[in-house]
């Protein structure tokens, strides 16, 4: 029965054509309504580059920014390849161990002795029915973690876009305040020169101008930091960093969404909870494997 199960596992486990990427892309499309692509051919890379140029040709809306981040973020692409590695490890754990061959030649004077050996890792063969489901659970957990990473990137990009546009609005407001303060300071100077204002009023206007100038500098720094954070999430560099954004945030909805079952939905659909459940299952399977192999970890069957 064990031999039949081993042969069954070895025959059924194969690499997935997309390395398990399809469920991640489907979850992204369902939750965000956005396209998630794993480019692996030159044609796919060219298609994504064209799509990125198309998005950058117009002011980036919040939805365009999220789509751009999903297509262009290098860290997310690296995570795609990690999913492919997890798929390979899943298949490797269900494959029969390779046999080993040893050869030795000894000589003493005119005497020669040649040894040849053929051996098989019997311990790994016996533990194969336990190791294969363990790697399968790890692979499924990696899928959940990648989906969660994708959704987190989308949320971070949306938040960074809002912060950047809001920082731009704040900067323009501070610049208008500075312009008004400059006009007030100039008026105070002229009124003082004409003898109509005392030194206290002139100093008050100059102080207001200094505060307005400081506010502009702080707003410029905040706007630069917010834009840099958004640029990193979008994965842009070089000439691409000259992208444009709307001058103001979109209007707020007239009414808030009615979500009476939001807690129940969160507990049922949260990917981190699902990943934690798979991690607990993986630890339980690892414990079973450790218990089964705690006394005998090396067991070879061979012929010499």
């Amino acid at each position: 029965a064990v031999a039949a199960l081993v042969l069954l596992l070895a025959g059924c486990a194969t690499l997935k054509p997309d390395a398990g990427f399809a469920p991640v892309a489907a979850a992204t499309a369902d939750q965000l309504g956005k396209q998630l692509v794993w480019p692996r051919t030159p044609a796919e890379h060219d298609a994504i580059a064209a799509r990125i140029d198309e998005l950058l040709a117009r002011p980036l809306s919040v939805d365009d920014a999220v789509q751009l981040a999903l297509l262009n973020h290098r860290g997310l692409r690296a995570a795609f390849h990690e999913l492919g590695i997890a798929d390979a490890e899943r298949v490797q754990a269900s494959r029969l161990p390779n046999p080993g061959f040893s050869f030795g030649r000894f000589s003493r004077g005119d005497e020669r002795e040649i040894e040849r050996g053929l051996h098989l890792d019997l311990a790994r063969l016996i533990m194969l029915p336990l190791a294969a489901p363990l790697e399968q659970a790890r692979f499924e957990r990696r899928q959940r973690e990648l989906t969660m990473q994708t959704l987190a990137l989308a949320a971070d990009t949306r938040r960074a876009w809002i912060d950047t546009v809001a920082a731009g609005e704040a900067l323009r407001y501070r610049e208008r305040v500075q312009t008004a303060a400059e006009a007030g300071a100039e008026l105070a100077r002229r009124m003082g020169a004409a003898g109509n204002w005392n030194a206290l009023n002139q100093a008050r206007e100059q102080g207001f101008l200094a505060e307005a100038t400081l506010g502009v500098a702080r707003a410029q720094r905040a706007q630069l930091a917010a834009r840099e954070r958004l640029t990193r999430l979008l994965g842009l560099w070089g000439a691409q960093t000259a992208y444009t954004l709307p001058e103001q945030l979109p209007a707020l909805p007239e009414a808030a969404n009615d979500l009476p079952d939001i807690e129940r939905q969160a507990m049922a659909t949260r990917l981190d909870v699902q990943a934690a459940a798979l991690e607990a299952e993986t630890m339980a399977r690892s414990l079973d494997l450790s218990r089964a192999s705690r006394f005998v970890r090396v067991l070879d069957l061979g012929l010499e």
Side-chain angles (χ1 to χ4, degrees), residues 43-57:
E44 292 175 345
H45 281 281
D46 293 341
I48 288 182
R51 176 59 174 159
I52 292 173
D53 292 339
E54 179 185 351
L55 293 173
L56 293 176

Side-chain angles (χ1 to χ4, degrees), residues 21 36-46 48 70-71 77 80-81:
F21 179 74
L36 189 65
V37 181
W38 181 4
R40 284 176 285 184
T41 63
E44 292 175 345
H45 281 281
D46 293 341
I48 288 182
L70 295 179
L71 293 177
R77 290 189 185 180
F80 295 161
H81 291 284

